[in-house]
């Protein structure tokens, strides 16, 4: 496979290099909008962000439709408007394939006080890294796609494909309303789409590119324990009542054991068995354990099998065992990250969490946890297993408090066929820009829309990330490096050329077959 760039690619790459400061300025403008979809008070900022995107796409020359999705109700009964979803298109040439890009411009909450070194909503460049909330998840990659398309226009080059954008503002809050919109637009906006591309995750490594062919789903749970309608003085009432917080902590503590194993009976029953060819894929992946630990600032992973003295000795004597043991532990970590379920506890609403002391017994607390689930786990079965288990644990406590378990959000996992033309084109594009083959990886996180796209449109989907493993999505000091942002833009442009070429070749083959 050739990895050198053509004259056309060289022209495009030079343009992107020369105009990289414009890319950074665009990101600065977008990061400045606090488009946090999780906090109701910031919904107007998400809506303002969607307007900025619509304008940017109009400047690009796209036909833009901001689809109103109405409103949704919060658990406290409050009605909130949903931000519009933007459906935009550029080009309608029946001779060209149509690529549809999905991205989101809402972000996770961020406050300077959370431990950010810089203001999360002021894009700040330090040592080649662009810090700011949304820099990598997902404003940077959305802008990189816009810029890749814009480069063809600026150089007066024919676009190799027709291009469509689906941009939403509720991804971090579960992509509310999007599935219905896909169903409605299945025979309209999506009718002529051939390929779907998402760039909303990161590489496995800090420097080696990757293509993603699977993500986990997510089942989010609320566990509410309530004693009465008011908080109580812990001196006046402590010692004589069943405290909701104590019940809740016991419930949460019963979910996972110290080895990370989920305690809910039956939860692993439907997990797809690992096939040999799948395990082989893992063998070729470059995975730097120390780098990964450093990225998440932990000393030890759950499956980080430290060798004891005896295995050490054995390993010195039998070298192959050393290799096997090391390989085995690395694969084990990836398997637990990508294709086994995991349970995380996120927080407790109603609990006192401010600095200082407040001697109170909260009357109502809501524990929040989620289970990242994998093929072939079924969301409704998972829900039933969780509810039955928690009710059973609670009943053994003989508490008079009220327990309510709900699953406000459920997103399914997604897996793609890596032999699809999308992966061939993306691999070529990544190779041209980075001069090395990308890793084929899965991702432990969730992009609810991936599976919906695949099921509803019946088209193939690829995740083509440009962010690095140390970008810190959802974390303090989120960043994208200038290098990844700029080179990523080149990968997107190269990808459009590659998929157009490949699509043409596939069409020719299929035409020859029909003629014969
Ligand atoms: C991978 C993507 N950038 C992302 O962060 N997705 C969220 C979506 C989600 C899942 N449950 C609730 N929101 C994630 O994986 O946490
Ligand atoms: Zn995202
Ligand atoms: Zn995210």
């Amino acid at each position: 496979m050739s990895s050198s760039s053509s004259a056309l690619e060289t022209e495009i790459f030079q343009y992107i290099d020369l105009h990289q400061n414009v890319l950074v300025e665009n990101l600065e403008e977008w990061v400045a909008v606090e488009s946090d979809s999780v906090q109701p008070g910031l919904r107007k900022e998400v809506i303002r962000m969607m307007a900025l995107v619509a304008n940017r796409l109009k400047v690009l020359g796209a036909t833009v439709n901001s689809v109103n999705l109405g409103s949704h109700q919060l658990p406290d009964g409050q009605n909130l408007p949903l931000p519009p979803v933007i459906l935009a298109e550029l080009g309608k040439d029946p001779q060209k394939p149509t690529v549809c890009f999905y991205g989101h411009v809402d972000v996770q909450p961020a406050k300077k006080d959370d431990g950010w070194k810089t203001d999360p909503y002021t894009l700040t460049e330090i040592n080649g890294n662009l810090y700011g909330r949304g820099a990598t998840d997902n404003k940077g990659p959305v802008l990189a796609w816009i810029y890749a398309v814009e480069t063809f226009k600026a150089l007066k080059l024919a676009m190799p494909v027709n291009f469509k954008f689906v941009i939403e503002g509720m991804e971090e809050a579960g992509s509310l309303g999007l599935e219905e919109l896909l169903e409605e637009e299945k025979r309209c906006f999506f009718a002529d789409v051939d390929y779907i591309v998402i760039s909303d995750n990161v590489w496995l490594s800090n420097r080696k590119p990757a293509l993603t062919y699977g993500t986990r789903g997510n089942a989010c749970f609320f566990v509410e324990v309530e004693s009465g309608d008011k908080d109580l003085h812990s001196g006046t009432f402590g010692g004589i009542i069943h405290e909701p917080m104590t019940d809740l902590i016991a419930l949460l503590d019963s979910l996972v054991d110290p080895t990370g194993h989920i305690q809910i009976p039956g939860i692993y029953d439907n997990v797809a068995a690992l096939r040999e060819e799948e395990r082989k894929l893992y063998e070729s992946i470059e995975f730097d354990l120390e780098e990964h630990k450093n990225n998440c600032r932990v000393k030890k992973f759950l499956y980080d099998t430290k060798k004891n003295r005896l295995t050490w000795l054995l390993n010195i004597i039998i070298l192959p065992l050393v290799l096997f043991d090391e390989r085995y532990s690395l694969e084990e970590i990836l398997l637990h990250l990508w294709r086994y379920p995991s349970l995380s506890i996120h927080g407790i609403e109603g609990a006192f969490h401010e600095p200082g002391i407040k001697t109170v017994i909260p009357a109502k607390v809501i524990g929040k946890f989620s289970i990242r689930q994998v093929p072939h786990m079924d969301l409704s079965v998972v829900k039933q297993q969780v509810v039955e288990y928690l009710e059973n644990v609670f009943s053994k406590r003989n508490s008079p408090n009220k327990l309510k378990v709900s699953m406000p959000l459920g997103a399914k996992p997604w897996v793609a066929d890596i032999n699809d033309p999308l992966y061939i084109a993306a691999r070529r594009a990544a190779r041209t820009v980075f001069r090395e083959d990308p890793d084929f990886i899965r991702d432990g996180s969730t992009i609810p829309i991936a599976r919906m796209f695949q099921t509803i449109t019946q088209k193939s989907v690829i995740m083509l990330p440009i962010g690095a493993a140390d970008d810190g999505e959802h974390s303090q000091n989120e960043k994208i490096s200038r290098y990844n942002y700029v080179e990523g833009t080149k990968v997107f442009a190269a990808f459009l050329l590659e998929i157009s070429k490949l699509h043409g070749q596939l069409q020719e083959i299929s035409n020859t077959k029909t003629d014969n």
Side-chain angles (χ1 to χ4, degrees):
M1 187 198 300
S2 157
S3 65
S4 60
S5 39
S6 65
L8 178 59
E9 282 163 340
T10 308
E11 187 187 359
I12 292 172
F13 296 170
Q14 277 173 355
Y15 182 91
I16 294 171
D17 274 333
L18 273 174
H19 293 81
Q20 56 176 274
N21 284 344
V22 180
L23 259 172
V24 175
E25 280 157 24
N26 280 195
L27 186 57
E28 189 178 357
E29 189 196 346
W30 280 21
V31 163
V33 184
E34 211 171 326
S35 51
D36 165 349
S37 56
V38 179
Q39 296 184 72
L42 288 166
R43 187 56 54 83
K44 57 180 189 325
E45 288 303 285
V46 184
I47 293 169
R48 185 163 75 87
M49 185 68 227
M50 298 314 293
L52 277 183
V53 176
N55 283 339
R56 185 67 184 78
L57 293 176
K58 280 178 196 157
V59 170
L60 181 69
T63 312
V64 180
N65 181 10
S66 293
V67 185
N68 185 347
L69 296 186
S71 60
H72 69 120
Q73 203 174 40
L74 299 178
D76 65 3
Q78 191 192 341
N79 251 317
L80 262 191
L82 282 167
V85 169
I86 292 174
L87 301 181
E89 56 188 311
L90 201 72
K92 257 189 175 312
D93 185 341
Q95 304 302 318
K96 294 177 185 172
T98 299
V99 172
C100 176
F101 163 69
Y102 159 85
H104 69 90
V105 288
D106 59 315
V107 295
Q108 283 279 319
K111 289 196 305 283
K112 176 93 171 54
D113 292 351
D114 293 340
W116 282 70
K117 291 193 192 110
T118 57
D119 172 43
Y121 294 101
T122 306
L123 191 75
T124 311
E125 184 163 9
I126 303 169
N127 296 333
N129 287 324
L130 303 159
Y131 292 91
R133 177 54 95 220
T136 196
D137 182 12
N138 182 229
K139 290 176 177 177
V142 172
L143 277 166
W145 270 108
I146 294 177
Y147 216 75
V149 172
E150 198 156 60
T151 301
F152 285 90
K153 212 180 132 195
L155 292 171
K156 301 201 169 20
L157 298 169
M159 264 290 278
V161 300
N162 302 313
F163 204 83
K164 294 198 173 191
F165 293 91
V166 177
I167 312 287
E168 72 155 322
M170 284 299 284
E171 195 272 351
E172 300 292 6
S175 292
L176 302 182
L178 195 55
E179 186 166 14
E180 293 75 10
L181 181 68
L182 292 196
E183 285 288 1
E184 275 166 32
E185 292 290 339
K186 186 165 128 179
R187 287 182 192 83
C188 308
F189 185 80
F190 295 105
D192 56 359
V193 167
D194 298 295
Y195 305 106
I196 294 158
V197 189
I198 301 173
S199 301
D200 187 21
N201 66 314
V202 293
W203 302 341
L204 180 64
S205 137
N206 292 355
R207 45 150 294 278
K208 188 166 186 230
L211 306 179
T212 308
Y213 64 92
T215 50
R216 292 192 289 190
N218 204 11
C220 299
F221 288 93
F222 288 172
V223 196
E224 186 181 304
V225 184
E226 188 176 8
S227 58
D229 61 0
K230 61 176 187 168
D231 297 347
L232 298 171
H233 189 300
S234 66
T236 317
F237 296 97
I240 60 164
I241 64 165
H242 295 257
E243 300 193 11
M245 191 73 151
T246 316
D247 283 341
L248 179 63
I249 300 279
L251 290 169
L252 295 178
D253 185 49
S254 74
L255 293 167
V256 197
D257 76 8
T259 71
H261 194 83
I262 305 173
Q263 299 295 288
I264 300 159
I267 205 85
Y268 293 96
D269 285 0
N270 295 323
V271 173
L274 182 67
R275 287 169 294 111
E276 194 41 40
E277 67 248 48
E278 198 185 339
R279 189 183 271 282
K280 283 213 179 86
L281 269 178
Y282 284 68
E283 281 167 15
S284 58
I285 294 172
E286 265 180 45
F287 179 53
D288 183 336
L289 193 62
E290 291 311 311
E291 178 187 86
H292 219 68
K293 277 190 217 161
N294 191 38
N295 285 348
C296 44
R297 307 281 193 275
V298 298
K299 292 194 179 69
K300 183 174 174 281
F301 287 139
L302 283 168
Y303 306 94
D304 188 357
T305 49
K306 275 264 171 283
K307 296 180 194 87
N308 60 30
R309 230 167 239 264
L310 185 65
T311 25
W312 233 105
L313 260 177
L314 275 172
N315 287 349
I316 292 168
I317 303 162
I318 316 162
L319 187 67
L321 194 63
V322 182
L323 300 172
F324 175 75
D325 196 21
E326 191 68 10
R327 196 60 260 167
Y328 179 77
S329 71
L330 295 184
E331 272 166 39
E332 201 63 11
I333 290 173
L334 294 180
L335 290 169
H336 281 277
L337 202 54
W338 297 343
R339 59 140 17 252
Y340 294 146
S342 65
L343 191 151
S344 303
I345 298 171
H346 307 298
I348 299 178
E349 190 177 320
F352 174 64
H353 67 281
E354 308 292 337
I357 296 164
K358 186 181 179 192
T359 50
V360 74
I361 300 170
K364 181 166 122 179
V365 279
I366 308 171
K368 299 182 181 184
F369 70 92
S370 72
I371 301 177
R372 299 280 173 177
Q373 25 88 39
V374 297
H376 305 296
M377 291 168 81
D378 182 302
L379 275 171
S380 56
V381 173
V382 168
K383 181 179 175 188
Q384 196 186 342
Q385 288 166 337
V386 169
V387 173
E388 275 173 16
Y389 176 69
L390 287 176
E391 282 176 353
N392 184 32
V393 173
F394 188 67
S395 70
K396 294 197 179 117
R397 296 183 59 79
N398 292 322
S399 168
N401 293 331
K402 271 189 283 171
L403 170 74
K404 203 162 88 191
V405 184
S406 58
M407 189 180 89
L409 187 72
K412 292 178 180 167
W414 161 81
V415 185
D417 173 7
I418 56 167
N419 298 311
D420 192 273
L422 272 174
Y423 285 85
I424 301 171
R427 183 179 174 193
R428 287 180 184 163
R431 208 180 148 81
T432 303
V433 174
F434 294 111
R435 312 255 161 223
E436 64 177 322
D437 259 330
D439 274 332
F440 280 72
I441 62 167
R442 283 167 77 153
D443 196 298
S445 65
T446 308
I447 299 169
I449 193 67
R451 170 75 169 263
M452 295 176 203
F453 263 132
Q454 211 171 40
T455 317
I456 297 172
T457 66
Q458 298 284 306
K459 299 292 171 192
S460 43
V461 179
I462 188 173
M463 285 192 198
L464 177 44
I466 59 169
D470 61 347
D471 277 2
E473 299 165 289
H474 294 201
S475 181
Q476 294 89 343
N477 306 311
E478 176 182 345
K479 60 94 178 155
I480 189 164
S481 71
R482 182 184 273 259
Y483 172 79
N484 279 49
Y485 188 30
V486 173
E487 299 308 299
T489 306
K490 293 179 191 170
V491 171
F492 294 159
F495 170 80
L496 296 179
L497 294 168
E498 293 291 355
I499 194 70
S500 145
K501 246 189 288 175
L502 209 55
H503 186 80
Q505 289 161 0
L506 291 170
Q507 291 290 102
E508 258 176 50
I509 297 171
S510 98
N511 290 347
T512 324
K513 276 191 188 150
T514 353
D515 290 349
N516 293 338

